[in-house]
Amino acid sequence: MRIDNLTYESKDYTCNVYLVRGDWNSVGDVNTLIDVGTDIAIIPRIKAKLAGVGQKKIDQILLTHGDYDHIQVLPDIKAIFNPVIYGSNHLTQIDKALEDGQKIKTGNKMFEIIHPDIHGIDSLCFLCRQESIIFTGDAPIHRCHEKGHYTDKFLNVLEMLTREDIKEIYPGHGPPILNDANEMIMESFIKARKAKKS
């Protein structure tokens, strides 16, 4: 699976926009954007990427949540690439709702939908066990602190993630976590649990 951050050089305030494709541009791959951000410059970047013979540049969009910095250019992307838009059933801009625990093909792998119950009721994370990675949007999976406010559901999600072999975290803002992801999640869980008890 290949992951490109299309906004890593953006001069606008935007979220990270990840393009996820299969390793070999195979016929069955599902070219996917995770979030779309605010920077219209992602459009030529998408057009410049190889999609595979007879494939659409973007088959689908997975939205982590509905904050403007994650969805602002959605109308432009939809008009040009006509992808299927997935997200929480609390979002009006989607074509299809994603449910907690549901699985969806992304690139050439299967991803599980996780509702972390934090950063709004529409927040979703996308976990790929085959690749040991997670896309978190603005959910603070790897950066909880002892003075935060966390629900029981979020603590359960964090505890579940401590049992996974997560090697990489792709957040909505900032660089990806490519080292020590498991340790960061465990530390985050410990801090969130301590905050809940205090």
Side-chain angles (χ1 to χ4, degrees), residues 89-116:
N89 61 8
H90 297 282
L91 299 177
T92 58
Q93 304 92 333
I94 64 167
D95 299 313
K96 296 185 179 180
L98 295 171
E99 300 295 332
D100 195 29
Q102 180 180 342
K103 294 188 171 50
I104 187 168
K105 189 171 185 182
T106 303
N108 60 338
K109 305 293 182 186
M110 294 303 294
F111 279 65
E112 181 177 335
I113 311 308
I114 297 172
H115 178 2

Side-chain angles (χ1 to χ4, degrees), residues 64-65 88-90 98-101 113-126 134-141 144 148-161 192 196:
T64 62
H65 61 293
S88 164
N89 61 8
H90 297 282
L98 295 171
E99 300 295 332
D100 195 29
I113 311 308
I114 297 172
H115 178 2
D117 196 33
I118 197 164
H119 197 74
I121 59 173
D122 62 348
S123 185
L124 300 174
C125 298
F126 309 114
I134 188 168
F135 292 86
T136 59
D138 288 355
I141 298 297
C144 291
H149 300 283
Y150 307 106
T151 65
D152 290 336
K153 168 80 188 295
F154 180 66
L155 284 175
N156 290 338
V157 167
L158 274 180
E159 185 175 18
M160 177 272 290
L161 291 175
K196 185 74 176 169

Side-chain angles (χ1 to χ4, degrees), residues 2 5 13 16-17 19 22 26 33 49 63 66 71 74 90 95 102 107 137 146 151 177 186:
R2 292 170 294 168
N5 184 349
Y13 176 73
N16 292 326
V17 176
L19 173 61
S26 300
L33 280 184
K49 297 291 183 184
L63 296 175
I71 66 167
L74 193 56
H90 297 282
D95 299 313
Q102 180 180 342
E146 295 172 4
T151 65
I177 311 303
M186 178 58 79

Side-chain angles (χ1 to χ4, degrees), residues 25-196:
N25 290 328
S26 300
V27 174
D29 293 351
V30 183
N31 296 325
T32 303
L33 280 184
I34 297 180
D35 288 331
V36 295
T38 64
D39 190 352
I40 205 78
I42 69 168
I43 291 172
R45 293 176 190 146
I46 293 168
K47 290 179 176 179
K49 297 291 183 184
L50 295 175
V53 176
Q55 288 184 279
K56 293 174 67 172
K57 292 285 187 178
I58 301 297
D59 294 296
Q60 65 187 13
I61 295 171
L62 305 183
L63 296 175
T64 62
H65 61 293
D67 286 359
Y68 87 95
D69 57 322
H70 290 253
I71 66 167
Q72 186 171 322
V73 300
L74 193 56
D76 303 281
I77 300 294
K78 187 160 187 173
I80 295 167
F81 301 105
N82 194 32
V84 179
I85 301 168
Y86 292 90
S88 164
N89 61 8
H90 297 282
L91 299 177
T92 58
Q93 304 92 333
I94 64 167
D95 299 313
K96 296 185 179 180
L98 295 171
E99 300 295 332
D100 195 29
Q102 180 180 342
K103 294 188 171 50
I104 187 168
K105 189 171 185 182
T106 303
N108 60 338
K109 305 293 182 186
M110 294 303 294
F111 279 65
E112 181 177 335
I113 311 308
I114 297 172
H115 178 2
D117 196 33
I118 197 164
H119 197 74
I121 59 173
D122 62 348
S123 185
L124 300 174
C125 298
F126 309 114
L127 171 66
C128 180
R129 288 185 173 90
Q130 292 169 285
E131 296 282 321
S132 301
I133 64 173
I134 188 168
F135 292 86
T136 59
D138 288 355
I141 298 297
H142 64 290
R143 53 185 169 79
C144 291
H145 51 85
E146 295 172 4
K147 297 196 185 300
H149 300 283
Y150 307 106
T151 65
D152 290 336
K153 168 80 188 295
F154 180 66
L155 284 175
N156 290 338
V157 167
L158 274 180
E159 185 175 18
M160 177 272 290
L161 291 175
T162 65
R163 297 191 297 269
E164 297 289 338
D165 180 27
I166 296 176
K167 293 184 169 55
E168 297 176 358
I169 301 169
Y170 292 87
H173 298 274
I177 311 303
L178 304 177
N179 298 298
D180 304 320
N182 274 340
E183 291 83 353
M184 291 180 79
I185 292 170
M186 178 58 79
E187 184 177 332
S188 191
F189 171 60
I190 292 167
K191 288 179 178 178
R193 188 172 56 184
K194 188 177 288 188
K196 185 74 176 169

